[in-house]
Amino acid sequence: MTESECATKRIPVTPSTWRTVHQLRKPGQTYDDVIQELIQRDSEQKLMDETERIMKRGKFVPLSEIKS
């Protein structure tokens, strides 16, 4: 992250939430890193959930049938 991208923002959280996020940090990670990782995991989980929902419905087109 460049200096121009870096901005200090305060996000109020409960002490319990702060402790949990703090425990998720790996050595050398910033809180921003932890939050970005959580966002990435959530995005991946949503994609997996949507894929599973579509597969259960059985209404999908195999990629091999899609023409470019």
Side-chain angles (χ1 to χ4, degrees):
M1 183 180 311
T2 67
E3 179 132 0
S4 63
E5 293 175 311
C6 187
T8 301
K9 300 287 182 185
R10 293 181 182 261
I11 303 171
V13 297
T14 64
S16 172
T17 299
W18 184 88
R19 280 191 299 274
T20 301
V21 174
H22 183 75
Q23 290 171 348
L24 291 171
R25 286 178 61 210
K26 298 174 187 127
Q29 264 191 328
T30 65
Y31 285 99
D32 188 71
D33 294 335
V34 175
I35 292 168
Q36 286 184 35
E37 188 174 301
L38 291 171
I39 291 168
Q40 179 65 34
R41 286 185 197 172
D42 182 66
S43 296
E44 290 170 1
Q45 185 61 53
K46 285 178 181 174
L47 177 61
M48 295 299 294
D49 292 346
E50 180 66 9
T51 301
E52 185 176 330
R53 186 185 67 77
I54 291 168
M55 295 294 288
K56 283 181 180 177
R57 273 195 348 216
K59 295 181 180 180
F60 62 95
V61 177
L63 291 175
S64 61
E65 292 181 17
I66 297 176
K67 295 184 180 188
S68 25

